[in-house]
Amino acid sequence: FHSPLYPFPHYFPDAVHPTAPGTRILAETAYRAISGNYGGLQLPAIYSDGMVLQRERPLTLRGTADAGEEVTLSFRGWRGRAKTSRLGEWTITLPAQSAGGPYTLEVSSSRRRIQLHSVYVGEVWLCSGQSNMAFTLGESSDEEHRPILPDSLLRIYDMKPAHATDPVSWPVSFLDSLNRLEYYLPARWQRTTPETAASLSAVAYHFARELRDSLGVPVGIIVNAVGGAPTEAWIDRASLEEELPGLLRHWRSNDFIMPWVRERATQNVQSQDTPLTRHPYAPTYLYDVGIRPLEGLAIRGVLWYQGESNAHNMEAHERLFPLLIESWRSTFASSLPFYYVQLSSMNRPSWSHFR
């Protein structure tokens, strides 16, 4: 029961007894464990047509299937098999691949076959942070952002929030979705065209285009930036519980959290404001909705453009930022390079490399 319930502490208002949604998770977990029925073969949403896989490193694909089912993976003439565990989980590690494409990736069980078409192998990067990273090409009037050229080998997986964290009160229906950890709109891999790139992060696009020009291989960019998001929202719960538990307690009245962050969250949730109402700025929330779904995905590295929403407490951020990096490295099972923005005394952003 621990793993499926861990991201939902708000379903246990007294820390003991579950609410109705918590009870449903308990019941579903028990049913699946007894019956072995996990809904058949499934892949995480990030695995879809048109995706880019990271080159030159082993690729561990994860998914679910009914308990005991044998799952087969086929890609570029290679085949691998795994047996699904009693908890409905399977993993297959694909050997390191050279750049190329398009290919077809197939995953099958005795009752279902999933084919992913137009799959490429190249460089995959995650671009994250707050509004400076989320700022789109279409929002800029700078001619340096033009022209946006079609490029079928520059692929985008753009995770857009269903509501931006603007100074407005969100509808109750959306707050219910937040509590179910449904913050991002469904995303899909897209090739770059002037139309698709207009809503893409300007930083992410130009970084990807530089990679395409210099490396000459397919490039896949994942963007999940959220305007105003504090660092603690992107860190997993276990890390914060161990290293900075004070951040988790009554966060909207907690001096560890920047006042602007708390005030904006309170404004967004005022139509249904309870102590347990979730918000994207809450500690661990964006990790649960934006990083955990990418668990195990092989990527080359991360671009991180954030920090303003932690500027009130530099001492805390000195602990939070390395904690975020180790949290993500554990999630992606890799010693990822991080490139992050620091602001100089002239307020000119410069990129630094964190190892």
Side-chain angles (χ1 to χ4, degrees):
F1 292 128
H2 176 75
S3 293
L5 286 165
Y6 195 46
F8 298 95
H10 52 293
Y11 286 170
F12 292 82
D14 62 357
V16 178
H17 302 95
T19 60
T23 302
R24 181 182 181 87
I25 293 175
L26 286 166
E28 289 175 344
T29 302
Y31 166 75
R32 289 169 178 166
I34 293 168
S35 68
N37 181 357
Y38 288 87
L41 181 65
Q42 298 177 59
L43 289 170
I46 189 71
Y47 292 97
S48 64
D49 292 342
M51 76 176 302
V52 181
L53 299 172
Q54 178 59 47
R55 63 173 176 163
E56 299 173 352
R57 63 178 52 181
L59 307 171
T60 299
L61 276 73
R62 306 165 185 264
T64 58
D66 294 339
E69 272 198 299
E70 186 175 86
V71 176
T72 301
L73 168 66
S74 303
F75 186 66
R76 296 176 76 175
W78 183 90
R79 291 173 66 87
R81 292 181 174 83
K83 188 174 182 180
T84 307
S85 74
R86 63 185 180 85
L87 296 178
E89 300 167 344
W90 58 265
T91 62
I92 299 176
T93 300
L94 182 69
Q97 302 287 313
S98 59
Y103 305 110
T104 297
L105 186 150
E106 181 176 297
V107 181
S108 60
S109 67
S110 60
R111 287 180 288 177
R112 189 179 182 197
R113 181 175 66 173
I114 300 173
Q115 284 190 332
L116 307 184
H117 300 284
S118 299
V119 174
Y120 291 84
V121 179
E123 292 292 298
V124 183
W125 284 77
L126 172 61
C127 297
S128 192
Q130 54 186 94
S131 58
N132 290 320
M133 182 64 81
F135 181 79
T136 68
L137 290 166
E139 292 174 305
S140 174
S141 59
D142 193 331
E143 288 303 314
E144 289 184 4
H145 290 325
R146 310 293 187 270
I148 301 171
L149 302 175
D151 188 345
S152 64
L153 298 184
L154 199 169
R155 299 292 173 119
I156 307 160
Y157 190 82
D158 199 2
M159 300 169 66
K160 292 289 190 190
H163 279 271
T165 50
D166 295 329
V168 297
S169 176
W170 288 336
V172 171
S173 59
F174 179 59
L175 297 181
D176 290 339
S177 298
L178 281 180
N179 288 341
R180 295 192 298 271
L181 305 186
E182 297 170 0
Y183 179 55
Y184 290 104
L185 297 169
R188 61 187 179 90
W189 287 93
Q190 300 182 78
R191 67 180 64 191
T192 303
T193 67
E195 292 74 28
T196 60
S199 62
L200 178 65
S201 158
V203 171
Y205 172 75
H206 284 288
F207 173 73
R209 196 166 75 169
E210 290 291 332
L211 286 183
R212 285 280 299 123
D213 289 345
S214 60
L215 300 178
V217 300
V219 172
I221 297 293
I222 303 165
V223 183
N224 61 5
V226 175
T231 300
E232 57 271 13
W234 296 99
I235 300 174
D236 71 288
R237 184 170 301 278
S239 295
L240 286 181
E241 285 178 336
E242 183 174 347
E243 299 293 335
L244 289 165
L247 278 166
L248 295 168
R249 301 191 184 110
H250 308 291
W251 74 276
R252 280 198 286 134
S253 59
N254 188 328
D255 288 339
F256 271 113
I257 311 294
M258 192 166 181
W260 178 90
V261 170
R262 293 181 275 142
E263 291 162 6
R264 177 59 56 85
T266 298
Q267 186 175 14
N268 290 156
V269 304
Q270 64 183 339
S271 60
Q272 192 182 61
D273 192 353
T274 74
L276 296 176
T277 297
R278 303 303 303 274
H279 188 276
Y281 292 172
T284 80
Y285 187 89
L286 291 175
Y287 177 88
D288 286 329
V289 301
I291 300 301
R292 190 190 299 276
L294 307 177
E295 183 176 8
L297 182 71
I299 63 177
R300 179 66 74 186
V302 174
L303 264 65
W304 176 257
Y305 199 161
Q306 190 274 344
E308 294 161 271
S309 292
N310 294 86
H312 77 301
N313 193 332
M314 292 182 290
E315 292 79 8
H317 196 256
E318 285 177 349
R319 297 176 64 186
L320 282 168
F321 185 51
L323 193 62
L324 175 140
I325 290 173
E326 292 311 312
S327 171
W328 287 24
R329 284 176 172 164
S330 176
T331 300
F332 292 102
S334 174
S335 56
L336 301 171
F338 266 71
Y339 291 86
Y340 65 98
V341 168
Q342 60 183 10
L343 299 178
S344 69
S345 59
M346 297 298 291
N347 202 34
R348 291 180 177 271
S350 62
W351 288 97
S352 299
H353 187 196
F354 188 99
R355 287 192 180 275

